[in-house]
Amino acid sequence: MFKKVRTRFAPSPTGYMHIGNLRTALYAFLLARQNKGDFILRIEDTDCQRKVKGAEEIIYESLKATGLNWDEGPDVGGEFGPYIQSERLETFKKYAQDLVKSKKAYYCFCSKERLEKIKNLQRAAKQPPKYDGHCKNLTEEEIKKNLEENKSYVIRQKMPQIGVTEFYDEVFGRVSVKNSELEDQILIKSDGMPTYNFANVVDDHLMQISHVVRGSEYLSSTPKYNLLYEAFSWDIPKYIDCPPVMKNKTEKLSKRNGDATLKDLLDLGFLPEAIVNYVALLGWSPKSEREIFSLNELIEAFDVSGICKSPAIFDAKKLAAINKKHILNMSDEEFLKRAKPHFNNAFKRDVNFNYLVGVLKKRTENFKDIESQLDFLDNVSDYDVNLYENKKMKTTKESSLKALEETLKVLKELNEFNEEKVHDAIFGLVEKLGVKNGVLLWPLRIALSKKQFTPGGGIEFCVLLGKEEAILRVEKGIEKLKETLS
């Protein structure tokens, strides 16, 4: 039996990492770390047609960005390498030949045309299409002759035709399949490459993988895996099959359909730790009502028994809410460190960054939004004067003009231009005029920012812009309103 917990993440290098893939890696990582075991990265690149140049580097970068560091893998080595399947082809051929020698696998020389003809006949008879076992009983002489003539072949595993194959999955429980439904699966393809199923079993055994975390789409293939393990007399790992991540009740989340990948989410400004936190909750329920976890806290809390059987639906709003909570939990220093590149993209004006952090932190859902929210600090472009009209604030162009004229007077009178003084001056004016707060604050916001939606209000913007610029923008607002109303 297995001496320790060893899990693996074995992606194919086919592009950017999608959310379902990240969740598989995360659960495998958490299980290994929780049990003081090993987390292995293996690249399964035997499907040459789907391989994408540079995708291996994307896998490394994605895992590192989310903190899922591996103990063994292509770039760090380990005693069970190489960890790239295309570098292990001789190993797969050897084990396939071992099965042929023990009469548990056989050469199949059937042409594509014959296979298609058989399947068409089966479909016409309303039978499930599968290989008919034509080459299973070839004589040694026939096999030798075909090999000498360099006939193209695959190697197939002999499947039992009677009885039932049962297995236990940690999520779905006991599952059984009639052997009569199983096809003699291909182990080695005609180009000499191993099939996905065969390479997985051989590598998982040789790398001493104790727990296989994967998507539930492989559940139906498990009898084939187990019959291979039994054919070699190898220990069978525990299976943890996770239901799919869906974009809605009927469609799977898929990078092929343009759904967000990990890179997309990072580019949108979501925090890696928030993404990991949210992805962990996609189909897994902790034993409490808690929602916010660091990676170390997930390691402590994770329990396979909390994985749900039903599909999980990706909810961008929920991700944003979790991201916002992670931002709120940051220190001001950490927030400034992460936000500063976005500040630099948004504006060049010299502002008090510490004050800006105070304005933004409690209002920020993700960092990328900062750029569009703060570009007004440098923006002197024209704007829609209709923004001054707001039913909720009960403002019109006429009331806004009066409000800005009165506001301009009190701003000019201030000797100190900090948040406390500006606040007291504006709210003193609100009291003096006997109006609602929004009647003064809304026109001030529009004059200073030229935006309807902003991460702060007129008082904060006055402080950020400074007295000279704030007064200049209020004057321009007054001028624009007078032009419109004349």
Side-chain angles (χ1 to χ4, degrees), residues 50 103 131 177 189 217-219 360 368 427 475:
R50 294 184 61 214
K103 306 297 182 183
Y131 182 60
V177 176
K189 295 179 284 188
E217 63 266 30
Y218 296 108
L219 196 63
L360 283 177
K368 187 66 175 177
F427 278 88
E475 288 175 337

Side-chain angles (χ1 to χ4, degrees), residues 87-130:
E87 298 175 10
R88 302 171 62 83
L89 299 184
E90 292 305 315
T91 298
F92 303 130
K93 290 176 184 176
K94 170 192 175 300
Y95 281 101
Q97 292 293 345
D98 287 348
L99 288 179
V100 171
K101 290 174 185 175
S102 62
K103 306 297 182 183
K104 295 173 182 176
Y106 60 92
Y107 293 103
C108 173
F109 299 95
C110 292
S111 66
K112 290 181 180 179
E113 291 75 20
R114 182 185 182 278
L115 294 175
E116 190 59 34
K117 181 179 179 181
I118 292 298
K119 289 185 178 181
N120 285 337
L121 290 172
Q122 290 169 334
R123 290 189 188 102
K126 295 185 178 179
Q127 298 172 348
K130 61 184 252 186

